[in-house]
Amino acid sequence: MVLMNKKAIMKLVLMLFLLGFTANVVNARFDSTSFITQVLSNGDDVKSACCDTCLCTRSQPPTCRCVDVRESCHSACDKCVCAYSNPPQCQCYDTHNFCYKTCH
């Protein structure tokens, strides 16, 4: 009886793990590089991130957001939202108290 309960618990744990993994991939908007770059990140994301149009509030400290619309978000973006269009139009919804360097 105990062995049967252990098997059921292991199946439940495996199903929850696979569900969580699938949800992460779906949240990545089916971009295969998104999940890979999250796993293999080497810390250079902030150094290579750039933004041409950064808007900031006048508060202290300021709240800044990059409003560039491109085919993909910059490398340090955590909340990237892409329109289902061809080509995709993506915008980063992260907020910081600084602006990234300009791209061009």
Side-chain angles (χ1 to χ4, degrees):
M1 184 65 105
V2 174
L3 184 61
M4 184 179 250
N5 286 340
K6 285 184 179 180
K7 284 184 179 181
I9 290 173
M10 288 303 291
K11 286 181 182 179
L12 179 64
V13 168
L14 180 62
M15 185 177 71
L16 290 174
F17 172 77
L18 291 174
L19 182 64
F21 180 78
T22 304
N24 190 19
V25 173
V26 168
N27 190 27
R29 306 267 188 237
F30 299 105
D31 182 8
S32 61
T33 59
S34 243
F35 181 71
I36 293 170
T37 53
Q38 287 177 6
V39 172
L40 301 177
S41 176
N42 60 5
D44 291 337
D45 290 344
V46 175
K47 294 177 188 172
S48 63
C50 65
C51 178
D52 286 328
T53 308
C54 183
L55 301 178
C56 297
T57 62
R58 292 184 182 186
S59 62
Q60 284 296 4
T63 303
C64 303
R65 188 169 77 85
C66 181
V67 293
D68 291 353
V69 177
R70 298 194 177 141
E71 288 189 22
S72 64
C73 292
H74 61 77
S75 57
C77 181
D78 290 327
K79 298 175 192 167
C80 184
V81 177
C82 297
Y84 292 109
S85 60
N86 191 8
Q89 293 182 342
C90 302
Q91 191 172 21
C92 184
Y93 282 88
D94 293 351
T95 57
H96 300 284
N97 60 356
F98 62 89
C99 289
Y100 293 104
K101 65 180 180 176
T102 58
C103 301
H104 298 103

XYZ file of all heavy atoms in Angstrom:
797
model
N 0.822 -1.189 0.000
C 0.000 0.000 0.000
C 0.872 1.261 0.000
O 0.576 2.205 -0.702
C -0.926 -0.041 1.222
C -1.894 1.120 1.252
S -3.053 1.113 -0.101
C -4.500 0.569 0.714
N 1.950 1.247 0.810
C 2.835 2.404 0.890
C 3.548 2.613 -0.435
O 3.729 3.744 -0.891
C 3.846 2.229 2.053
C 4.862 3.341 2.062
C 3.121 2.134 3.377
N 3.948 1.525 -1.083
C 4.620 1.615 -2.378
C 3.702 2.236 -3.426
O 4.148 3.042 -4.247
C 5.087 0.229 -2.823
C 5.881 0.159 -4.110
C 7.163 0.974 -3.963
C 6.202 -1.269 -4.466
N 2.415 1.918 -3.387
C 1.463 2.479 -4.335
C 1.315 3.989 -4.126
O 1.228 4.750 -5.078
C 0.112 1.777 -4.191
C -0.930 2.207 -5.195
S -2.446 1.306 -4.928
C -2.438 0.282 -6.361
N 1.300 4.445 -2.870
C 1.208 5.872 -2.575
C 2.458 6.609 -3.039
O 2.374 7.719 -3.534
C 0.989 6.104 -1.078
C -0.424 5.758 -0.657
O -1.322 5.712 -1.478
N -0.597 5.493 0.625
N 3.626 6.010 -2.876
C 4.870 6.634 -3.333
C 4.875 6.788 -4.847
O 5.314 7.804 -5.373
C 6.085 5.823 -2.872
C 6.400 5.975 -1.410
C 7.672 5.236 -1.054
C 7.995 5.401 0.417
N 9.219 4.687 0.775
N 4.378 5.783 -5.547
C 4.307 5.875 -7.012
C 3.362 6.986 -7.436
O 3.653 7.747 -8.366
C 3.850 4.543 -7.614
C 4.908 3.488 -7.647
C 4.393 2.245 -8.336
C 5.437 1.167 -8.423
N 4.943 -0.028 -9.109
N 2.235 7.122 -6.763
C 1.273 8.167 -7.103
C 1.865 9.546 -6.837
O 1.689 10.471 -7.632
C -0.018 7.970 -6.306
N 2.581 9.694 -5.740
C 3.205 10.982 -5.412
C 4.285 11.317 -6.433
O 4.388 12.462 -6.881
C 3.766 10.959 -3.974
C 2.603 10.944 -2.976
C 4.679 12.148 -3.714
C 3.022 10.746 -1.539
N 5.089 10.342 -6.832
C 6.140 10.579 -7.823
C 5.526 10.978 -9.173
O 6.045 11.861 -9.855
C 7.020 9.335 -7.985
C 7.933 9.093 -6.802
S 9.015 10.486 -6.446
C 10.077 10.445 -7.844
N 4.432 10.355 -9.556
C 3.760 10.725 -10.799
C 3.231 12.151 -10.722
O 3.334 12.914 -11.674
C 2.613 9.758 -11.102
C 3.073 8.404 -11.576
C 1.889 7.507 -11.873
C 2.330 6.131 -12.313
N 1.193 5.246 -12.591
N 2.678 12.530 -9.579
C 2.158 13.879 -9.388
C 3.288 14.904 -9.451
O 3.166 15.945 -10.106
C 1.425 13.981 -8.050
C 0.852 15.350 -7.711
C -0.224 15.728 -8.727
C 0.296 15.357 -6.295
N 4.408 14.614 -8.805
C 5.556 15.527 -8.828
C 6.087 15.676 -10.254
O 6.376 16.791 -10.706
C 6.664 15.031 -7.862
C 7.959 15.781 -8.074
C 6.193 15.156 -6.422
N 6.218 14.587 -10.990
C 6.692 14.637 -12.370
C 5.733 15.434 -13.250
O 6.162 16.254 -14.068
C 6.858 13.221 -12.923
C 7.351 13.122 -14.364
C 8.744 13.747 -14.489
C 7.367 11.696 -14.830
N 4.434 15.252 -13.058
C 3.458 15.991 -13.847
C 3.535 17.485 -13.546
O 3.505 18.313 -14.453
C 2.047 15.485 -13.554
C 0.991 16.129 -14.434
S -0.651 15.485 -14.176
C -1.029 16.159 -12.576
N 3.692 17.870 -12.272
C 3.823 19.282 -11.916
C 5.096 19.886 -12.489
O 5.097 21.027 -12.948
C 3.775 19.456 -10.399
C 2.421 19.211 -9.747
C 2.543 19.270 -8.236
C 1.401 20.206 -10.250
N 6.197 19.141 -12.477
C 7.448 19.623 -13.054
C 7.278 19.869 -14.548
O 7.672 20.929 -15.064
C 8.571 18.620 -12.806
C 9.835 18.951 -13.527
C 10.670 19.949 -13.057
C 10.174 18.295 -14.691
C 11.834 20.273 -13.730
C 11.326 18.608 -15.374
C 12.157 19.595 -14.902
N 6.693 18.923 -15.258
C 6.498 19.083 -16.698
C 5.526 20.217 -17.002
O 5.719 20.966 -17.961
C 5.996 17.774 -17.318
C 7.014 16.640 -17.335
C 6.377 15.356 -17.836
C 8.217 17.002 -18.170
N 4.517 20.394 -16.189
C 3.579 21.494 -16.367
C 4.277 22.835 -16.172
O 4.095 23.765 -16.945
C 2.409 21.358 -15.393
C 1.321 22.416 -15.496
C 0.635 22.309 -16.852
C 0.322 22.242 -14.384
N 5.116 22.934 -15.143
C 5.877 24.162 -14.911
C 6.846 24.451 -16.042
O 7.005 25.590 -16.481
N 7.529 23.442 -16.537
C 8.470 23.616 -17.641
C 7.737 24.070 -18.893
O 8.169 24.990 -19.580
C 9.205 22.303 -17.899
C 10.192 22.385 -19.017
C 11.428 22.968 -18.823
C 9.877 21.895 -20.268
C 12.331 23.057 -19.850
C 10.778 21.982 -21.304
C 12.007 22.554 -21.100
N 6.598 23.456 -19.190
C 5.818 23.829 -20.362
C 5.301 25.252 -20.240
O 5.324 26.013 -21.201
C 4.643 22.853 -20.554
O 5.156 21.534 -20.625
C 3.862 23.172 -21.814
N 4.861 25.648 -19.062
C 4.362 27.006 -18.864
C 5.467 28.023 -19.104
O 5.228 29.093 -19.659
C 3.800 27.164 -17.452
N 6.696 27.711 -18.727
C 7.822 28.619 -18.950
C 8.092 28.767 -20.437
O 8.323 29.867 -20.922
C 9.064 28.119 -18.222
C 10.167 29.149 -18.234
O 9.917 30.317 -18.453
N 11.375 28.705 -18.002
N 8.046 27.698 -21.187
C 8.290 27.765 -22.624
C 7.163 28.523 -23.319
O 7.401 29.342 -24.198
C 8.464 26.349 -23.216
C 8.542 26.400 -24.722
C 9.718 25.707 -22.650
N 5.913 28.303 -22.920
C 4.783 29.017 -23.519
C 4.896 30.506 -23.203
O 4.650 31.354 -24.044
C 3.445 28.434 -23.010
C 2.289 29.330 -23.392
C 3.237 27.040 -23.573
N 5.322 30.852 -21.983
C 5.484 32.251 -21.594
C 6.577 32.926 -22.415
O 6.580 34.130 -22.577
C 5.803 32.346 -20.111
C 5.754 33.750 -19.601
O 5.041 34.583 -20.148
N 6.511 34.026 -18.566
N 7.489 32.159 -22.970
C 8.569 32.711 -23.784
C 8.101 33.012 -25.201
O 8.901 33.310 -26.062
C 9.747 31.743 -23.815
N 6.813 32.943 -25.452
C 6.217 33.278 -26.744
C 6.760 32.403 -27.882
O 6.987 32.870 -28.975
C 6.432 34.746 -27.086
C 5.958 35.683 -26.034
C 4.548 36.108 -26.344
N 4.171 37.152 -25.423
C 3.128 37.078 -24.640
N 2.375 36.008 -24.645
N 2.828 38.057 -23.825
N 7.053 31.144 -27.568
C 7.528 30.174 -28.539
C 8.848 30.592 -29.185
O 9.182 30.172 -30.264
C 6.467 29.901 -29.617
C 5.217 29.349 -29.048
C 4.101 30.150 -28.923
C 5.156 28.041 -28.607
C 2.936 29.645 -28.375
C 4.002 27.534 -28.067
C 2.890 28.333 -27.948
N 9.609 31.434 -28.536
C 10.931 31.818 -29.019
C 11.930 30.846 -28.414
O 12.195 30.890 -27.226
C 11.243 33.258 -28.599
C 12.584 33.738 -29.102
O 13.209 32.998 -29.901
O 13.000 34.830 -28.713
N 12.477 29.960 -29.227
C 13.334 28.903 -28.694
C 14.586 29.449 -28.028
O 15.148 28.818 -27.148
C 13.730 27.937 -29.819
O 14.443 28.644 -30.819
N 15.047 30.621 -28.420
C 16.261 31.164 -27.817
C 15.990 31.759 -26.446
O 16.893 31.887 -25.649
C 16.875 32.253 -28.717
O 15.926 33.294 -28.896
C 17.288 31.675 -30.048
N 14.746 32.115 -26.146
C 14.421 32.737 -24.872
C 14.778 31.834 -23.700
O 15.437 32.248 -22.768
C 12.941 33.065 -24.816
O 12.745 34.415 -24.720
N 14.317 30.595 -23.728
C 14.568 29.679 -22.630
C 16.047 29.355 -22.530
O 16.613 29.318 -21.458
C 13.752 28.399 -22.802
C 13.954 27.425 -21.690
C 13.436 27.687 -20.431
C 14.683 26.275 -21.887
C 13.630 26.798 -19.390
C 14.887 25.384 -20.857
C 14.352 25.637 -19.603
N 16.694 29.159 -23.676
C 18.118 28.826 -23.675
C 18.938 29.967 -23.106
O 19.848 29.743 -22.309
C 18.577 28.462 -25.101
C 17.901 27.161 -25.547
C 20.087 28.337 -25.179
C 18.091 26.830 -26.992
N 18.631 31.198 -23.459
C 19.415 32.323 -22.936
C 19.170 32.527 -21.453
O 20.051 32.977 -20.742
C 19.096 33.630 -23.685
O 17.698 33.851 -23.663
C 19.600 33.586 -25.101
N 17.985 32.177 -20.944
C 17.750 32.267 -19.508
C 18.602 31.252 -18.767
O 19.157 31.546 -17.714
C 16.279 31.998 -19.189
C 15.360 33.115 -19.563
C 13.906 32.751 -19.289
O 13.613 31.707 -18.730
N 13.008 33.617 -19.709
N 18.726 30.052 -19.308
C 19.478 28.994 -18.639
C 20.983 29.236 -18.746
O 21.727 29.051 -17.793
C 19.116 27.615 -19.245
C 20.024 26.535 -18.705
C 17.663 27.292 -18.954
N 21.443 29.691 -19.909
C 22.874 29.829 -20.151
C 23.372 31.268 -20.010
O 24.423 31.598 -20.533
C 23.215 29.313 -21.558
C 22.872 27.863 -21.835
C 23.184 27.514 -23.277
C 23.622 26.942 -20.896
N 22.665 32.115 -19.298
C 23.052 33.509 -19.147
C 24.398 33.614 -18.445
O 24.660 32.950 -17.459
C 21.993 34.253 -18.342
O 22.410 35.570 -18.126
N 25.279 34.487 -18.970
C 26.601 34.639 -18.379
C 26.783 35.986 -17.700
O 27.895 36.382 -17.392
C 27.692 34.426 -19.444
C 27.564 35.415 -20.577
O 26.735 36.315 -20.545
N 28.400 35.256 -21.589
N 25.704 36.739 -17.479
C 25.803 38.002 -16.768
C 26.120 39.196 -17.643
O 26.222 40.307 -17.152
N 26.290 39.025 -18.940
C 26.610 40.123 -19.845
C 25.366 40.803 -20.395
O 25.468 41.708 -21.211
C 27.468 39.621 -21.023
C 28.859 39.220 -20.573
O 29.288 39.715 -19.512
O 29.495 38.425 -21.272
N 24.172 40.385 -19.946
C 22.930 40.918 -20.493
C 22.819 42.423 -20.308
O 22.471 43.139 -21.229
C 21.725 40.235 -19.850
C 21.588 38.790 -20.288
O 22.225 38.425 -21.289
O 20.863 38.049 -19.630
N 23.104 42.912 -19.110
C 22.950 44.342 -18.830
C 23.982 45.144 -19.621
O 23.689 46.228 -20.111
C 23.074 44.603 -17.316
C 23.047 46.086 -17.021
C 21.952 43.897 -16.575
N 25.175 44.610 -19.797
C 26.218 45.313 -20.549
C 25.861 45.451 -22.020
O 26.180 46.453 -22.646
C 27.548 44.572 -20.423
C 28.114 44.564 -19.026
C 29.388 43.754 -18.978
C 29.862 43.563 -17.564
N 30.976 42.632 -17.486
N 25.197 44.444 -22.598
C 24.893 44.475 -24.025
C 23.505 45.044 -24.321
O 23.161 45.232 -25.473
C 25.009 43.068 -24.612
O 24.055 42.213 -24.018
N 22.705 45.318 -23.287
C 21.361 45.864 -23.503
C 21.452 47.305 -23.978
O 22.340 48.047 -23.581
C 20.545 45.788 -22.216
N 20.526 47.685 -24.858
C 20.506 49.060 -25.349
C 19.062 49.486 -25.600
O 18.176 48.659 -25.733
C 21.339 49.192 -26.614
S 20.709 48.256 -28.027
N 18.857 50.800 -25.667
C 17.526 51.358 -25.876
C 17.652 52.711 -26.555
O 18.417 53.568 -26.109
C 16.817 51.508 -24.527
S 15.191 52.240 -24.661
N 16.910 52.931 -27.627
C 16.945 54.216 -28.332
C 15.957 55.229 -27.750
O 16.216 56.414 -27.744
C 16.655 54.012 -29.822
C 17.838 53.377 -30.541
O 18.990 53.636 -30.131
O 17.615 52.627 -31.498
N 14.804 54.759 -27.267
C 13.796 55.666 -26.733
C 13.456 55.256 -25.302
O 12.736 54.288 -25.073
C 12.512 55.631 -27.585
O 12.869 55.842 -28.945
C 11.543 56.707 -27.140
N 13.993 56.000 -24.335
C 13.776 55.710 -22.927
C 12.969 56.860 -22.314
O 13.351 58.018 -22.438
C 15.118 55.557 -22.226
S 14.980 55.115 -20.494
N 11.861 56.522 -21.666
C 11.020 57.528 -21.021
C 11.122 57.376 -19.510
O 11.041 56.269 -18.992
C 9.566 57.373 -21.450
C 9.281 57.498 -22.948
C 7.809 57.271 -23.222
C 9.715 58.856 -23.457
N 11.299 58.512 -18.802
C 11.446 58.493 -17.344
C 10.458 59.462 -16.698
O 10.142 60.506 -17.264
C 12.861 58.897 -16.938
S 14.136 57.773 -17.515
N 10.010 59.114 -15.505
C 9.175 60.023 -14.727
C 10.069 61.059 -14.055
O 11.284 60.896 -13.989
C 8.385 59.260 -13.653
O 9.315 58.660 -12.748
C 7.487 58.203 -14.272
N 9.474 62.105 -13.509
C 10.235 63.142 -12.820
C 10.398 62.851 -11.328
O 10.929 63.668 -10.590
C 9.559 64.496 -13.004
C 9.616 64.977 -14.424
C 9.032 66.348 -14.536
N 9.046 66.794 -15.921
C 8.704 68.000 -16.311
N 8.307 68.898 -15.431
N 8.745 68.320 -17.570
N 9.937 61.710 -10.888
C 10.035 61.365 -9.479
C 11.478 61.100 -9.076
O 12.353 60.942 -9.910
C 9.179 60.126 -9.194
O 9.664 59.021 -9.940
N 11.726 61.067 -7.768
C 13.054 60.752 -7.245
C 12.950 59.477 -6.432
O 12.294 59.494 -5.403
C 13.599 61.897 -6.386
C 14.102 63.068 -7.152
C 15.314 62.727 -8.036
O 15.745 61.587 -8.134
N 15.846 63.724 -8.696
N 13.553 58.401 -6.803
C 14.295 58.182 -8.042
C 13.331 58.057 -9.228
O 12.168 57.709 -9.045
C 15.017 56.861 -7.785
C 14.146 56.132 -6.827
C 13.523 57.196 -5.959
N 13.831 58.317 -10.423
C 12.957 58.232 -11.598
C 12.586 56.788 -11.916
O 13.294 55.854 -11.553
C 13.814 58.827 -12.716
C 15.210 58.610 -12.270
C 15.188 58.701 -10.770
N 11.464 56.623 -12.565
C 11.057 55.318 -13.083
C 11.158 55.388 -14.592
O 10.469 56.180 -15.225
C 9.613 54.985 -12.661
O 9.532 55.024 -11.233
C 9.199 53.618 -13.155
N 12.051 54.588 -15.156
C 12.336 54.640 -16.594
C 11.904 53.353 -17.275
O 11.969 52.275 -16.694
C 13.820 54.872 -16.834
S 14.451 56.373 -16.059
N 11.499 53.483 -18.538
C 11.104 52.329 -19.339
C 11.513 52.552 -20.785
O 11.337 53.630 -21.342
C 9.597 52.119 -19.267
C 9.140 50.822 -19.909
C 7.716 50.515 -19.586
N 6.770 51.293 -20.347
C 6.342 50.963 -21.566
N 6.795 49.882 -22.163
N 5.480 51.718 -22.189
N 12.059 51.510 -21.391
C 12.422 51.551 -22.806
C 11.159 51.296 -23.623
O 10.466 50.303 -23.412
C 13.478 50.482 -23.106
S 14.003 50.472 -24.822
N 10.847 52.190 -24.546
C 9.628 52.039 -25.343
C 9.931 51.691 -26.800
O 9.087 51.867 -27.673
C 8.734 53.304 -25.253
C 8.182 53.473 -23.847
C 9.473 54.542 -25.694
N 11.130 51.203 -27.067
C 11.466 50.757 -28.422
C 10.548 49.608 -28.829
O 10.230 48.736 -28.021
C 12.913 50.262 -28.485
C 13.929 51.369 -28.323
O 13.532 52.549 -28.287
O 15.128 51.052 -28.223
N 10.136 49.585 -30.088
C 9.362 48.479 -30.639
C 10.218 47.846 -31.721
O 10.572 48.496 -32.707
C 8.013 48.959 -31.219
C 7.263 47.797 -31.856
C 7.176 49.614 -30.135
N 10.567 46.583 -31.514
C 11.455 45.861 -32.438
C 10.978 44.438 -32.624
O 10.002 44.021 -32.035
C 12.873 45.853 -31.859
C 13.447 47.225 -31.703
C 14.923 47.119 -31.469
N 15.457 48.461 -31.392
C 16.382 48.841 -30.558
N 16.916 47.972 -29.749
N 16.806 50.078 -30.550
N 11.763 43.673 -33.394
C 11.433 42.267 -33.609
C 11.730 41.416 -32.385
O 11.236 40.306 -32.267
C 12.176 41.727 -34.831
C 11.622 42.263 -36.126
C 12.203 41.567 -37.341
O 12.692 40.430 -37.212
O 12.154 42.159 -38.420
N 12.559 41.927 -31.476
C 12.828 41.240 -30.218
C 13.232 42.283 -29.185
O 13.673 43.372 -29.538
C 13.946 40.203 -30.383
O 15.151 40.845 -30.718
N 13.068 41.954 -27.919
C 13.441 42.886 -26.857
C 14.950 42.839 -26.628
O 15.628 41.901 -27.045
C 12.715 42.520 -25.569
S 10.929 42.783 -25.663
N 15.459 43.843 -25.917
C 16.891 43.855 -25.620
C 17.242 42.691 -24.693
O 16.373 42.072 -24.082
C 17.328 45.205 -25.039
C 16.663 45.587 -23.765
N 17.008 45.048 -22.557
C 15.661 46.459 -23.508
C 16.274 45.566 -21.599
N 15.429 46.428 -22.162
N 18.510 42.399 -24.579
C 18.966 41.174 -23.930
C 18.678 41.097 -22.438
O 18.599 40.016 -21.883
C 20.461 41.003 -24.171
O 21.150 42.150 -23.689
N 18.506 42.223 -21.753
C 18.281 42.199 -20.306
C 16.807 42.308 -19.940
O 16.468 42.413 -18.776
C 19.062 43.332 -19.655
N 15.924 42.259 -20.895
C 14.487 42.445 -20.637
C 13.892 41.193 -19.980
O 14.082 40.077 -20.456
C 13.755 42.748 -21.936
S 12.001 43.019 -21.690
N 13.149 41.403 -18.890
C 12.465 40.300 -18.216
C 11.009 40.181 -18.643
O 10.452 39.095 -18.654
C 12.522 40.485 -16.698
C 13.918 40.290 -16.148
O 14.680 39.469 -16.697
O 14.261 40.973 -15.158
N 10.355 41.304 -18.960
C 8.934 41.307 -19.314
C 8.764 41.760 -20.764
O 8.378 42.879 -21.037
C 8.160 42.240 -18.388
C 8.203 41.844 -16.944
C 7.515 42.878 -16.087
C 7.804 42.624 -14.629
N 7.415 43.761 -13.797
N 9.063 40.868 -21.688
C 8.965 41.175 -23.118
C 7.597 40.737 -23.632
O 7.189 39.596 -23.435
C 10.072 40.438 -23.870
S 10.113 40.834 -25.630
N 6.881 41.650 -24.268
C 5.563 41.342 -24.826
C 5.649 41.547 -26.331
O 6.024 42.616 -26.800
C 4.475 42.247 -24.215
C 3.131 41.975 -24.863
C 4.396 42.037 -22.710
N 5.291 40.504 -27.077
C 5.363 40.554 -28.537
C 3.975 40.382 -29.141
O 3.182 39.563 -28.681
C 6.273 39.449 -29.065
S 7.983 39.596 -28.532
N 3.703 41.147 -30.183
C 2.451 40.995 -30.923
C 2.598 39.809 -31.865
O 3.680 39.540 -32.386
C 2.163 42.262 -31.717
N 1.514 39.089 -32.058
C 1.540 37.958 -32.974
C 1.379 38.481 -34.394
O 0.308 38.447 -34.987
C 0.431 36.963 -32.632
C 0.657 36.268 -31.323
C -0.118 36.553 -30.223
C 1.673 35.336 -31.189
C 0.095 35.921 -29.015
C 1.906 34.701 -29.981
C 1.104 34.990 -28.906
O 1.328 34.361 -27.712
N 2.456 39.025 -34.922
C 2.446 39.572 -36.273
C 3.694 39.089 -36.984
O 4.575 38.482 -36.391
C 2.417 41.103 -36.213
O 3.559 41.584 -35.531
N 3.763 39.365 -38.267
C 4.941 38.975 -39.019
C 5.478 40.201 -39.731
O 4.833 40.700 -40.628
C 4.582 37.885 -40.032
C 5.811 37.254 -40.645
O 6.933 37.517 -40.215
N 5.604 36.414 -41.631
N 6.622 40.737 -39.377
C 7.508 40.318 -38.297
C 6.932 40.694 -36.943
O 6.096 41.595 -36.839
C 8.789 41.106 -38.579
C 8.334 42.344 -39.260
C 7.139 41.938 -40.070
N 7.365 40.002 -35.874
C 6.836 40.310 -34.550
C 7.216 41.722 -34.107
O 8.265 42.238 -34.491
C 7.492 39.260 -33.648
C 8.648 38.754 -34.407
C 8.357 38.952 -35.849
N 6.356 42.341 -33.343
C 6.633 43.653 -32.771
C 6.652 43.485 -31.259
O 5.618 43.200 -30.649
C 5.581 44.667 -33.198
C 5.625 44.955 -34.675
C 4.610 46.008 -35.076
O 3.667 46.287 -34.367
N 4.826 46.588 -36.242
N 7.838 43.646 -30.671
C 8.032 43.382 -29.252
C 8.375 44.663 -28.514
O 9.022 45.559 -29.061
C 9.163 42.381 -29.053
S 8.878 40.804 -29.903
N 7.939 44.726 -27.259
C 8.250 45.865 -26.411
C 8.521 45.353 -25.002
O 7.847 44.448 -24.514
C 7.097 46.859 -26.399
C 7.443 48.174 -25.768
C 6.335 49.205 -25.961
O 5.193 48.870 -26.212
N 6.693 50.454 -25.827
N 9.525 45.952 -24.350
C 9.909 45.563 -22.995
C 9.125 46.407 -21.992
O 9.052 47.622 -22.122
C 11.411 45.753 -22.805
S 11.975 45.180 -21.190
N 8.554 45.761 -20.989
C 7.772 46.464 -19.974
C 8.475 46.503 -18.619
O 7.839 46.757 -17.600
C 6.379 45.836 -19.855
C 5.477 46.268 -20.978
C 5.445 45.575 -22.180
C 4.691 47.397 -20.853
C 4.640 45.984 -23.219
C 3.882 47.819 -21.899
C 3.856 47.109 -23.065
O 3.066 47.533 -24.104
N 9.791 46.271 -18.588
C 10.559 46.415 -17.352
C 10.670 47.890 -16.988
O 10.718 48.743 -17.866
C 11.986 45.866 -17.521
C 12.021 44.369 -17.729
O 10.969 43.721 -17.583
O 13.106 43.851 -18.034
N 10.746 48.186 -15.698
C 11.014 49.557 -15.257
C 12.266 49.555 -14.398
O 12.533 48.611 -13.647
C 9.837 50.139 -14.449
O 9.571 49.296 -13.332
C 8.598 50.284 -15.315
N 13.067 50.613 -14.534
C 14.312 50.774 -13.786
C 14.427 52.229 -13.357
O 13.619 53.069 -13.742
C 15.523 50.415 -14.666
C 15.498 49.010 -15.171
N 15.796 47.936 -14.378
C 15.195 48.498 -16.391
C 15.687 46.821 -15.086
N 15.322 47.140 -16.319
N 15.473 52.531 -12.621
C 15.732 53.928 -12.265
C 16.862 54.501 -13.110
O 17.531 55.435 -12.711
C 16.037 54.067 -10.766
C 17.256 53.272 -10.352
O 17.850 52.552 -11.143
N 17.623 53.395 -9.091
N 17.068 53.913 -14.281
C 18.106 54.367 -15.225
C 17.679 53.993 -16.635
O 16.739 53.250 -16.828
C 19.445 53.689 -14.902
C 19.404 52.185 -15.037
C 19.688 51.569 -16.235
C 19.048 51.383 -13.944
C 19.637 50.187 -16.367
C 18.999 50.011 -14.057
C 19.293 49.410 -15.262
N 18.398 54.537 -17.608
C 18.194 54.176 -19.014
C 19.421 53.427 -19.516
O 20.544 53.721 -19.108
C 17.990 55.434 -19.878
S 16.421 56.242 -19.586
N 19.202 52.461 -20.389
C 20.319 51.768 -21.020
C 20.980 52.675 -22.046
O 20.391 53.659 -22.507
C 19.830 50.476 -21.697
C 19.353 49.432 -20.728
C 17.994 49.186 -20.550
C 20.253 48.701 -19.974
C 17.546 48.224 -19.660
C 19.812 47.732 -19.081
C 18.472 47.504 -18.924
O 18.034 46.557 -18.034
N 22.200 52.322 -22.449
C 22.879 53.105 -23.498
C 22.081 53.032 -24.793
O 21.283 52.116 -24.996
C 24.293 52.568 -23.708
C 24.305 51.159 -24.256
C 25.694 50.643 -24.470
C 25.561 49.213 -25.031
N 26.777 48.610 -25.373
N 22.274 54.013 -25.667
C 21.546 54.021 -26.937
C 22.116 52.972 -27.878
O 23.305 52.672 -27.847
C 21.604 55.408 -27.603
O 22.961 55.756 -27.795
C 20.905 56.456 -26.763
N 21.265 52.451 -28.719
C 21.677 51.398 -29.668
C 22.371 51.983 -30.887
O 23.309 51.405 -31.409
C 20.461 50.585 -30.105
S 19.593 49.783 -28.761
N 21.875 53.101 -31.380
C 22.418 53.670 -32.616
C 23.063 55.007 -32.363
O 22.659 55.794 -31.602
C 21.300 53.834 -33.654
C 20.693 52.503 -34.032
N 19.479 52.098 -33.545
C 21.145 51.503 -34.798
C 19.195 50.901 -34.027
N 20.191 50.520 -34.795
